[in-house]
Amino acid sequence: MNRYSNKVVVVTGGTSGIGLATAKAFASEGAQVYITGRRQETLDSAVKSLGGSVTGVRGDMSQLADIDRLYDVIQQRHGQIDVLVANAGGGDFAPLGEITEQQYEETFNTNVKGVLFTVQKALPLLKDGASVVLTASTTSVKGTPAFSVYSATKAAVRNFARSWILDLKPRRIRVNAISPGLTETAGLNTLFGGGEQAEGTKNWLSEQVPSGRIGQPGEVASAILFLASDDASYINGVELFVDGGLAQI
Ligand SMILES: NC(=O)c1ccc[n+]([C@@H]2O[C@H](COP(=O)([O-])OP(=O)(O)OC[C@H]3O[C@@H](n4cnc5c(N)ncnc54)[C@H](OP(=O)(O)O)[C@@H]3O)[C@@H](O)[C@H]2O)c1
């Protein structure tokens, strides 16, 4: 398939995991892809692995000046964006009683403030009829011990999709949320303590998933490409779960 020939696509947090797989999938279908991440070295190696049609712009999406820099580059080169995937995000465990102000601010700044201004500042560049995909999580609708701050950010992201389709109605810009379940990424492995500890946790959790396994980043990427494409032309404001059924039981 070549659904994205000559389309300009932005994937924030595109240097690892779900974002990297998404950037790769868009590039393989002909898009000009822009990815972001905070770490220059990781950004450089992602760009190298993805090939010629992918450009890296280093930036922290919780910083408005960094978002401006990203869009300045795209303004100069293309003057427009066809698809925006606001994917940069992450979180840590802390039970109520041990949540710190710093953890709250870091998580909300990236996952909520970052997503909000990534989309708002893209508006002058987004074409009428463009597609926006926000990376939420199954935690938007589930309770998870010691994960309330992260989960609350993803509930906020899910509502952004519902509300923004009304704000963007005159421009026919579709906004959908993608909600991955457990997905095999560096971010998940770090969250679970890395190494053998992470493997043990993932094995235990796999048994709770109706599909019997953890998802792969490419499986989330396929769903993002579908939502962003004309195949999903009448799909607007939904939360699409890519979770092996975990949030459906
Ligand atoms: N993996 C899962 O099981 C899972 C499940 C549900 C939802 N999600 C969501 O899926 C998205 C991707 O997660 P992942 O598992 O693929 O994580 P990952 O492997 O840790 O990748 C995260 C990406 O986001 C970038 N990033 C993080 N904070 C950023 C910031 N403030 N500004 C710019 N870039 C930033 C990272 O690069 P730098 O660190 O260099 O900035 C990296 O490119 C996140 O929104 C996450 O919440 C993941």
Side-chain angles (χ1 to χ4, degrees):
M1 279 192 288
N2 233 7
R3 291 173 290 183
Y4 293 99
S5 273
N6 302 316
K7 302 279 189 203
V8 178
V9 175
V10 177
V11 182
T12 68
T15 65
S16 169
I18 291 166
L20 180 65
T22 301
K24 186 176 177 186
F26 275 117
S28 76
E29 291 204 34
Q32 292 288 319
V33 186
Y34 287 78
I35 62 171
T36 68
R38 293 163 299 182
R39 291 165 296 164
Q40 187 68 53
E41 225 173 276
T42 317
L43 184 66
D44 291 343
S45 67
V47 168
K48 202 170 163 193
S49 77
L50 291 169
S53 57
V54 178
T55 304
V57 181
R58 204 197 66 75
D60 180 340
M61 295 299 104
S62 69
Q63 302 295 321
L64 303 195
D66 287 11
I67 300 175
D68 286 336
R69 241 171 2 91
L70 166 67
Y71 294 141
D72 283 348
V73 172
I74 298 172
Q75 169 66 52
Q76 280 163 29
R77 295 204 192 157
H78 306 280
Q80 58 147 72
I81 294 171
D82 296 281
V83 174
L84 171 59
V85 183
N87 167 77
D92 297 310
F93 288 124
L96 186 64
E98 291 176 23
I99 296 164
T100 63
E101 186 178 16
Q102 185 189 355
Q103 187 210 7
Y104 169 85
E105 285 180 352
E106 281 176 7
T107 314
F108 269 80
N109 281 348
T110 294
N111 295 6
V112 181
K113 177 187 172 192
V115 168
L116 161 55
F117 288 101
T118 294
V119 177
Q120 181 163 285
K121 284 180 172 287
L123 292 179
L125 285 170
L126 280 167
K127 281 173 69 174
D128 287 356
S131 176
V132 176
V133 180
L134 313 176
T135 306
S137 162
T138 50
T139 61
S140 68
V141 296
K142 300 276 283 183
T144 307
F147 216 32
S148 63
V149 174
Y150 173 85
S151 304
T153 67
K154 295 303 187 178
V157 169
R158 196 277 169 261
N159 194 277
F160 280 160
R162 288 189 198 279
S163 300
W164 289 346
I165 57 173
L166 296 169
D167 295 341
L168 296 174
K169 184 179 173 193
R171 298 191 51 198
R172 295 176 293 103
I173 295 173
R174 294 184 300 113
V175 185
N176 290 293
I178 193 93
S179 280
L182 297 156
T183 310
E184 180 69 57
T185 67
L188 187 75
N189 285 320
T190 304
L191 181 70
F192 288 165
E196 276 183 27
Q197 190 184 323
E199 291 308 313
T201 306
K202 286 186 293 182
N203 286 339
W204 180 77
L205 285 170
S206 293
E207 288 168 25
Q208 327 294 316
V209 181
S211 292
R213 64 178 177 84
I214 301 256
Q216 294 300 315
E219 296 178 290
V220 183
S222 298
I224 291 173
L225 264 71
F226 163 68
L227 279 182
S229 75
D230 289 343
D231 295 337
S233 53
Y234 201 52
I235 299 179
N236 204 4
V238 306
E239 176 172 27
L240 178 57
F241 290 91
V242 186
D243 66 347
L246 187 61
Q248 317 311 317
I249 52 175

